[in-house]
Amino acid sequence: MPKKVNIFCGKFPHVIIFQRNKQTLRFFSSSCRTSSILVELVAKQHWSKLKTHLQNTKPNALLHQLLTSEADPELTLRYLTWSQKEFKLSHSLELTFRTLYSLACARKYSKIRSFLDNFVKNEKNYPVSSIFHAISVGGDSFCANSIIVDMLVLAYVKSLKTHLGYEAFRRAGDYGFKLSVISCNPLLHALVKERKIGNMEFVYKEMIKRRIGPNLISFNVVVNGLCKAGKLNKASDVIEDMKVWGVSPNVITYNTLVDGYCKMGKIGKMYKADAVLKDMVAKGICPNEVTFNILIDGFCKDGNVSAAMKVLAEMQSQGLNPNVVTYNSLINGLCSDGKVDEATVLRDQMIGSGLKPNVITHNALINGLCKNKMVNEASDSFNDMPKQGIAHNVTTYNILIDGYCKAGRIEDAFELRNAMLGRGICPNVSTYNCLIAGLCRKGDMEAAWHLMDEMVGKDLRADVVTYNILIDLLCNKGESRRAMKLFDEMSRKALNPSHVTYNSLMDGYCKEGNLRAALNVRTRMEKGGRRANVVTYNVLIKGFCKKGKLEDANKLLNEMLEKGLVPNRTTYEIVREEMMDKGFVPDIEGHLYNV
DNA sequence: GTAGGGTTAG
């Protein structure tokens, strides 16, 4: 019998498989001959014979015997999987992980990897704590155990059980097991994808603390996560940290940060994005197509297509060719600006330069036509797509369905929905959202609720947008309390309310003249981790104005400017109509001349 | 194995 010493006894006083196994051992000593026959059958892989012989022996007793007799680890594993399948049983965690331990000592890593991949896919989820207990009593080689835990974390992440991967990572720290970037990088990536940025930051800090040595990929993933969460200063700090670790940021690191500024930055964000670009050039990192595409898209989304065009010229002067993504951003930018004709010209230019428009190009143009009240043209464009060898996708249908709804052509919208079903494209939540919003605009509440039921029947779950549509509708009808009930339902369904949700509720209460309730919603919004945006301020400022509280409204205006939020057209309209026309001079007055 | 483009709600 091998000597098993639990080196973690001090901290984790869970000993001991020996007590439990005494009985098993007695069994083996009394029937030693039988057992050696069985072991030999395993060695020869005579499974059917083994099955008949095992009628009087417990399968787990044989597994134990294989482990203690130090049989070939691969064979032990083969017996383990065979017996689990054959007898529809699960071996204990202790024996399972002892098997993996023996494989780790024999450096049969790929066997462990594929076993763990299956192990975690199993619907029977063992508590991570039990697994760690089994690992720590199963073997005393720190290195072998660490490798098993590393592979376990990776297996969880691969099977989309990120929460368990995260827990295993945390516990590995308690036990002092040393993980590697092989499991930590995918874990970081998965946490970013699930928007669990707090957890991602924990893993990153722990990696440094535990001296796991983040590499370039780790840093890039972390920078991306922080950018997606709007933590741009922290992202810049991480880039500084990299140098301490002797890792140089590359073009991807900087592109990620530039994109962060474009998408999450506040006042003067494009200026800052440009500053990051200059910084990277100064550090000798050459911008590539992606860098320029990010900037072009950023300027377009910022409503500044002419600046985007200048970036395009700069890109070409540096010998970089615009690609489909470049053109798609510009086409979309022009369409949002109401310049569908120019967008079409650009599309032709794109074709002239040898690039083939893809489904995204077409969708952008169809959307542009819809938004500019050219639904018939949009429909023609839609029908042209198959002729050009481009298949419609769900988004194409959704765009045109939304176009029909907004043009008041609900019947056409439903007809198109039915057509997509016939063509094997499944409506998704967005399809329903477009239709529900269309029905709400028409005031056909009954049909809207009916569609909600239909969604559930099709196993489609209402999302934040669905709730936003319904909440907004109720608020506009003066039924804020009913809207609040839907809001509570959202949290019960683990849906994270968005800015729109809170803003609609505040608007509803403001319209009812209930400023207190509106401010309560704002408090909840901040507790929910969302900061007030321009729309929030517009809603509240208007609410206070309507109540004649112009001084308070003015304070809100100041607060908004101090937070670096940029007033929009609605803000100016409110200020003009509700304050200036009534003889009140707001602090924002000076800005009004710029509009 | 880390970066970029299209739809729905204010």
Side-chain angles (χ1 to χ4, degrees):
Chain A
M1 177 176 163
K3 283 181 198 134
K4 298 286 173 204
V5 184
N6 183 355
I7 59 168
F8 300 106
C9 271
K11 203 167 175 188
F12 303 93
H14 39 45
V15 204
I16 318 297
I17 54 171
F18 307 107
Q19 299 252 316
R20 238 228 254 156
N21 291 331
K22 265 182 189 163
Q23 218 180 338
T24 327
L25 289 174
R26 264 200 299 279
F27 159 78
F28 270 109
S29 52
S30 65
S31 55
C32 206
R33 217 152 46 95
T34 330
S35 73
S36 61
I37 292 169
L38 292 176
V39 172
E40 206 180 311
L41 284 174
V42 174
K44 288 180 180 165
Q45 301 187 59
H46 289 167
W47 303 116
S48 53
K49 270 190 199 164
L50 183 64
K51 198 181 173 187
T52 39
H53 275 80
L54 268 173
Q55 274 163 359
N56 301 319
T57 313
K58 284 182 182 160
N60 61 337
L62 178 54
L63 178 59
H64 184 266
Q65 168 69 4
L66 288 164
L67 285 164
T68 43
S69 64
E70 292 181 7
D72 173 21
E74 265 190 69
L75 226 48
T76 312
L77 180 72
R78 236 174 264 168
Y79 167 72
L80 186 150
T81 41
W82 171 81
S83 56
Q84 292 202 139
K85 211 172 151 193
E86 197 63 46
F87 301 107
K88 293 188 176 57
L89 57 83
S90 298
H91 287 291
S92 71
L93 284 177
E94 278 83 353
L95 290 181
T96 304
F97 278 89
R98 268 182 75 187
T99 310
L100 296 183
Y101 181 82
S102 65
L103 284 159
C105 293
R107 297 173 185 271
K108 307 272 184 191
Y109 301 133
S110 63
K111 297 279 168 196
I112 307 176
R113 200 173 299 127
S114 50
F115 177 85
L116 284 175
D117 285 347
N118 278 312
F119 177 79
V120 303
K121 267 187 209 122
N122 203 316
E123 64 278 9
K124 186 176 172 184
N125 274 328
Y126 291 99
V128 175
S129 56
S130 314
I131 294 175
F132 268 72
H133 173 79
I135 291 171
S136 61
V137 299
D140 55 7
S141 159
F142 190 69
C143 191
N145 281 344
S146 292
I147 287 170
I148 294 171
V149 176
D150 207 42
M151 290 181 179
L152 179 70
V153 171
L154 186 63
Y156 278 135
V157 173
K158 278 200 283 188
S159 67
L160 305 176
K161 295 179 179 177
T162 311
H163 58 292
L164 295 176
Y166 178 70
E167 203 193 327
F169 175 88
R170 272 185 29 224
R171 281 186 189 273
D174 296 338
Y175 282 79
F177 292 137
K178 177 127 186 197
L179 301 183
S180 75
V181 285
I182 298 171
S183 68
C184 292
N185 286 355
L187 176 63
L188 287 168
H189 186 63
L191 289 167
V192 172
K193 266 211 304 209
E194 294 181 11
R195 292 287 188 265
K196 303 245 170 75
I197 305 303
N199 292 358
M200 181 215 72
E201 284 184 85
F202 174 81
V203 173
Y204 167 63
K205 284 179 190 148
E206 281 291 305
M207 279 174 80
I208 288 177
K209 216 187 272 174
R210 299 185 205 168
R211 309 216 139 256
I212 293 171
N215 62 13
L216 179 61
I217 292 179
S218 331
F219 285 114
N220 285 351
V221 176
V222 171
V223 169
N224 188 28
L226 291 169
C227 284
K228 295 282 184 295
K231 298 178 173 184
L232 302 170
N233 291 332
K234 270 195 181 175
S236 304
D237 292 343
V238 169
I239 296 180
E240 291 302 310
D241 286 352
M242 292 176 75
K243 292 159 195 167
V244 179
W245 281 85
V247 180
S248 300
N250 67 355
V251 64
I252 295 180
T253 325
Y254 278 102
N255 285 352
T256 311
L257 189 62
V258 174
D259 192 51
Y261 274 107
C262 288
K263 295 207 171 67
M264 301 301 293
K266 298 210 167 145
I267 191 159
K269 59 182 187 175
M270 290 315 294
Y271 177 80
K272 285 181 185 160
D274 216 46
V276 177
L277 174 77
K278 292 200 169 74
D279 187 37
M280 75 190 266
V281 173
K283 293 204 166 83
I285 294 162
C286 199
N288 61 11
E289 282 94 344
V290 178
T291 323
F292 286 103
N293 286 348
I294 291 168
L295 281 167
I296 287 169
D297 193 58
F299 278 117
C300 286
K301 295 264 159 60
D302 206 33
N304 192 349
V305 187
S306 61
M309 287 298 191
K310 281 181 198 155
V311 178
L312 174 70
E314 172 67 20
M315 178 179 182
Q316 285 168 314
S317 80
Q318 294 200 15
L320 293 170
N321 289 325
N323 60 18
V324 186
V325 178
T326 325
Y327 280 106
N328 286 350
S329 287
L330 287 164
I331 287 168
N332 197 41
L334 286 167
C335 285
S336 310
D337 210 12
K339 295 170 178 164
V340 192
D341 288 346
E342 285 179 43
T344 314
V345 171
L346 202 63
R347 193 254 331 254
D348 295 339
Q349 206 178 305
M350 171 183 176
I351 296 169
S353 75
L355 291 167
K356 195 170 179 272
N358 62 12
V359 65
I360 295 177
T361 324
H362 284 93
N363 288 352
L365 279 164
I366 293 171
N367 189 38
L369 291 165
C370 286
K371 293 286 181 308
N372 288 285
K373 305 195 171 163
M374 299 159 85
V375 190
N376 287 329
E377 288 84 346
S379 169
D380 291 343
S381 221
F382 179 93
N383 293 328
D384 267 350
M385 280 174 68
K387 291 172 203 159
Q388 294 176 34
I390 308 287
H392 302 133
N393 63 13
V394 196
T395 309
T396 326
Y397 277 97
N398 291 349
I399 290 168
L400 193 54
I401 286 174
D402 188 57
Y404 280 137
C405 284
K406 289 204 170 115
R409 291 163 62 174
I410 292 276
E411 292 79 12
D412 289 327
F414 272 93
E415 203 175 296
L416 199 58
R417 195 273 308 252
N418 296 338
M420 71 193 276
L421 283 170
R423 290 169 199 161
I425 294 176
C426 243
N428 60 16
V429 187
S430 298
T431 320
Y432 278 90
N433 288 345
C434 294
L435 290 166
I436 290 170
L439 291 168
C440 286
R441 273 189 291 269
K442 257 182 70 183
D444 194 347
M445 278 308 282
E446 216 170 301
W449 292 119
H450 175 75
L451 269 187
M452 278 283 280
D453 292 338
E454 194 183 299
M455 266 175 84
V456 178
K458 294 199 167 164
D459 226 26
L460 287 172
R461 277 185 44 191
D463 67 1
V464 183
V465 178
T466 324
Y467 277 95
N468 287 350
I469 294 164
L470 297 169
I471 285 174
D472 191 57
L473 176 89
L474 289 170
C475 287
N476 279 318
K477 280 175 63 179
E479 297 189 48
S480 302
R481 291 187 63 177
R482 255 185 91 190
M484 213 56 203
K485 277 188 184 163
L486 278 181
F487 177 83
D488 293 333
E489 193 177 302
M490 281 177 84
S491 45
R492 277 202 300 279
K493 292 190 174 169
L495 286 170
N496 199 5
S498 67
H499 275 107
V500 182
T501 326
Y502 292 108
N503 290 343
S504 294
L505 284 166
M506 275 181 243
D507 194 35
Y509 281 125
C510 282
K511 279 183 180 139
E512 289 172 18
N514 192 348
L515 295 180
R516 215 168 151 182
L519 290 173
N520 279 339
V521 173
R522 189 186 156 167
T523 311
R524 286 183 76 160
M525 173 176 183
E526 277 156 2
K527 275 187 192 159
R530 298 221 178 254
R531 278 188 242 161
N533 64 10
V534 186
V535 181
T536 319
Y537 279 101
N538 287 349
V539 164
L540 290 173
I541 289 167
K542 192 169 180 179
F544 276 91
C545 286
K546 289 281 180 202
K547 277 278 207 172
K549 300 189 170 185
L550 300 184
E551 271 301 337
D552 289 325
N554 192 40
K555 272 187 201 159
L556 283 167
L557 264 178
N558 271 316
E559 194 183 302
M560 170 178 177
L561 295 172
E562 276 162 20
K563 287 189 178 169
L565 291 166
V566 191
N568 61 15
R569 243 174 68 187
T570 315
T571 324
Y572 292 117
E573 277 167 18
I574 296 166
V575 169
R576 261 208 197 99
E577 289 166 21
E578 305 290 339
M579 298 171 102
M580 297 182 74
D581 289 356
K582 288 170 186 166
F584 188 92
V585 184
D587 292 335
I588 203 173
E589 195 205 9
H591 297 266
L592 278 167
Y593 296 107
N594 300 330
V595 189

